[in-house]
Structure formats: structure tokens, C-alpha cells
Amino acid sequence: MAHSATHAQGQQHPIKLYLVVWAWLFILSACSYFVDYFQLQGLLRYSLIILFMLLKAGLIVAVFMHMAWERLSLVYAILVPISAVLVFVAIMVLESDYTLLSRIAFFGSGS
Amino acid sequence: MAEQVLTELRTTHSEATGLRSIATDFSSDRQAFRNVSWGKAMMWIFLLSDTFVFSCFLISYMTARMSTTVPWPNPSEVFALTIGGTSLPLILIAIMTFVLISSSGTMAMAVNFGYRRDRRKTAVLMLVTALLGATFVGMQAFEWTKLIHEGVRPWGNPWGAAQFGSSFFMITGFHGTHVSFGVLFLLVIARKVWRGDYDHERRGFFTSRKGRYESVEIMGLYWHFVDLVWVFIFAFFYLW
């Protein structure tokens, strides 16, 4: 069976690769911790948090979860539906702005 | 002649790249994702559904936080611990993050040694992963206890917006449940590896299918996903 033969090989990558990714995850986590520790504020804070978050997520998915070596159709089957979540986020940001404005208009700053 | 055409077709089929590879995969009469076993595909589909569940939680948290007129508690202070007289902001969460990342590292190495058919190293690395996971859950239990003592409830808290409590317990609770089940899952697979089930193709008790070292990778997908979710919780809940 050619099918199981390809699988017996599995995801064979040098251990060093995993150690490097592991080290990077540590560094990036430390960076996001220090964003809070040094109390960075405003746009700088949010852009750094999101940058470190996306880098970490990317490393985990691409290397640890082996997505970098998967079939393109599997990759698309996973990543395309997730873009729907981003649309949902955008909708809810607009909705919460509207709710906030209504609350301020009708209830003052009470609830 | 016909044979030559067939061979040519077959080579183009297997060598298809880019968009063409997607077309051949989805139009193939075998399985949707060529060279991806069902076990792995199904775990990915489960994780995709789990992504939506966690997304809905985080999005509802975001909506609650952005639309409330009451000030939101400062997570940096709420989750600070006083160690040796100095108050360190968010220190517990930072340690929890490092513990979980370490468990992801040991898990990735366990998968690697699994494919090298190194039974002992795989099992030991999986047990270390389980231990780190259990440590994480233990620290979370400590965190919950501390906050409950300080008066945080799903319907309120001493520092401001009531939604803080419900978001906190729902999001971290659901994630902690995932970690706990992951630890259980790790122990089950580690036992199978240790016993040599995947070397002898011993049939599973429940499915009566032959086990393969790929199970370690599938288990790893689940574990890395739990770590992945924590990356987003860490950023959106604790750093925002």
C-alpha cells in the first residue's frame, strides 16, 4: 500500500527546527509580556500585541501542527472558513459601537 | 498508446501543484485530501469547529467590553501577584503561558520521535507534556480561587463592569476544560505508545482499528490547538 508507506515516513523534520520554533515562542511571549510590564499604551500597545500574537499563532500552526507541509486543499479548507470569523468580528465591532452610543444617549453613563 | 496517455495523466495528477492540486484533490475519486489520512482530516475539521466556538466566545467578550459604559477592570492589576514584597503585573498568566508553550514544545518532539519509532522517548515526552498541562490547570485553579475570594462572580466584580466576571469564567473555563481533556487524551495515547501498540499494530479497544504512530501526531494537533487558543486569550483577555 503506497498510502500507508507514505505515512510511515510521516512528518519527519529535524529536532533542531522544533527547538528553534520553541525558542521563538518563548521570545515572542516574553515580548508580549513586556508590552504590559512597561505599560505601553495606545496604538503602539495594540499593534505590538497583535503582531506578537499573529507571529506566535503562525509558528504554532505552520510548524508544530505541520500545516506548512500539508496538502494545499487541506490548508484552504481550514483557513478559508476562518476568514468568516474576521467578517463576524467586523460586524460586532460596528454593532458594539452602536450599542455604546445608544446606551450613552438613553441611559446616560449608568449601565 | 493508451497506456502512455494513462501514465502521463497519472504523473500530472500526482505532480499537480497550486490551485491545480486543489482541483485534483476535490475531484478525485479517492478521498478529498490525497495523502491526508481520515484521522488527521477529521481532527482538523473538529479543530475548525472548535475555532468557531472559541471565536464566538471571544467575539461576545469583545462586544460586551466595547459596548459597556462602565469601566472595565484593568487585567494587568487584577492578575498581579505580590512576590517578595513587590507586585508583579500579570505574572501568573505569564508563567502559565510559558508552561503551556513548553508543553507544546515537548509535544512536537514527541510526534517527531514517534515517527522515528522511538517508543520510550515518545511516551516520556508525552508524559512530560501531560504533566505541564496538569500544572497549567492547577495554576488556573489557583487563579480562579484567588479571584472568587476577591469577590469576582459571573454576575459581578468589585472593580467595574459586571461582564468581566462572566467573560472570565466562560473563556478561561472552557479553555481549561480543553486542557484537562487534553491531559486525559495524552495519558491514553502515551500508554498505547509505551505498550508498543503502534509497533505491533494492536487493534484499538473501541474502534478495533490498527493503531499507527500517526495517532501521536493527531493527538499533537489537539494539544497545539489548545496552546494556539491560549495565544489569543492571552492577547485579547489579559493584554487588552
Side-chain angles (χ1 to χ4, degrees):
Chain A
M1 272 176 67
H3 179 70
S4 48
T6 52
H7 270 294
Q9 296 300 316
Q11 296 281 351
Q12 291 270 30
H13 310 288
I15 288 285
K16 196 188 164 208
L17 175 66
Y18 293 112
L19 293 176
V20 168
V21 170
W22 190 351
W24 270 110
L25 290 175
F26 259 78
I27 295 167
L28 290 169
S29 298
C31 287
S32 35
Y33 176 71
F34 283 117
V35 167
D36 188 71
Y37 189 82
F38 293 119
Q39 288 294 314
L40 301 180
Q41 297 301 338
L43 196 61
L44 179 68
R45 181 188 181 91
Y46 300 123
S47 41
L48 281 180
I49 289 172
I50 288 176
L51 175 73
F52 295 141
M53 177 188 83
L54 291 180
L55 284 175
K56 274 166 77 180
L59 279 177
I60 293 172
V61 173
V63 181
F64 281 179
M65 296 172 95
H66 304 136
M67 203 191 246
W69 300 281
E70 293 293 359
R71 298 285 300 175
L72 199 56
S73 37
L74 182 67
V75 174
Y76 276 35
I78 297 159
L79 293 186
V80 172
I82 290 177
S83 55
V85 172
L86 298 178
V87 178
F88 194 13
V89 171
I91 292 171
M92 292 317 287
V93 167
L94 295 176
E95 176 69 17
S96 51
D97 275 350
Y98 170 74
T99 310
L100 180 63
L101 283 177
S102 320
R103 281 179 174 165
I104 292 169
F106 290 99
F107 305 120
S109 57
S111 68
Chain B
M1 179 62 193
E3 203 158 298
Q4 199 186 345
V5 172
L6 263 181
T7 340
E8 253 172 47
L9 266 177
R10 212 168 285 142
T11 47
T12 50
H13 199 73
S14 59
E15 281 167 10
T17 53
L19 288 178
R20 189 165 289 276
S21 78
I22 296 176
T24 54
D25 276 2
F26 280 109
S27 63
S28 82
D29 53 0
R30 305 170 71 217
Q31 55 190 50
F33 312 109
R34 277 158 61 88
N35 300 333
V36 180
S37 73
W38 279 116
K40 204 163 156 179
M42 288 303 118
M43 179 50 91
W44 268 114
I45 287 167
F46 165 73
L47 294 180
L48 186 61
S49 70
D50 230 13
T51 305
F52 291 134
V53 174
F54 275 110
S55 301
C56 287
F57 283 179
L58 283 172
I59 291 171
S60 52
Y61 150 74
M62 177 197 79
T63 311
R65 180 163 173 175
M66 286 179 75
S67 61
T68 179
T69 49
V70 182
W72 196 264
N74 182 359
S76 183
E77 286 162 16
V78 173
F79 300 101
L81 278 188
T82 309
I83 299 173
T86 48
S87 174
L88 291 164
L90 222 53
I91 189 72
L92 183 65
I93 309 305
I95 299 170
M96 283 166 78
T97 305
F98 285 113
V99 167
L100 208 58
I101 283 173
S102 297
S103 79
S104 232
T106 53
M107 186 67 233
M109 287 170 70
V111 174
N112 202 279
F113 282 114
Y115 281 129
R116 285 161 203 245
R117 303 194 150 260
D118 192 329
R119 195 166 61 81
R120 280 164 196 279
K121 274 191 187 136
T122 310
V124 167
L125 280 167
M126 288 182 86
L127 288 177
V128 173
T129 310
L131 195 70
L132 288 167
T135 310
F136 178 89
V137 178
M139 292 169 83
Q140 195 165 59
F142 171 78
E143 182 197 18
W144 275 47
T145 316
K146 184 172 168 281
L147 287 187
I148 291 169
H149 270 298
E150 286 167 359
V152 181
R153 297 289 182 272
W155 52 86
N157 67 76
W159 313 289
Q163 297 97 322
F164 175 81
S166 47
S167 320
F168 171 76
F169 287 119
M170 182 170 70
I171 294 171
T172 62
F174 206 67
H175 179 262
T177 312
H178 272 73
V179 179
S180 307
F181 278 107
V183 170
L184 217 68
F185 192 6
L186 273 165
L187 293 177
V188 170
I189 303 289
R191 174 167 177 262
K192 285 176 176 243
V193 171
W194 185 258
R195 224 168 36 173
D197 283 15
Y198 301 139
D199 296 304
H200 308 124
E201 298 203 316
R202 178 180 174 143
R203 288 184 180 275
F205 144 78
F206 189 63
T207 57
S208 58
R209 282 174 187 258
K210 286 175 186 167
R212 287 185 292 143
Y213 272 103
E214 201 193 24
S215 305
V216 182
E217 193 196 348
I218 294 171
M219 155 76 241
L221 285 178
Y222 178 89
W223 192 259
H224 296 310
F225 176 77
V226 169
D227 188 25
L228 182 67
V229 169
W230 185 253
V231 168
F232 289 93
I233 294 177
F234 182 55
F236 287 128
F237 199 89
Y238 295 104
L239 296 178
W240 181 4

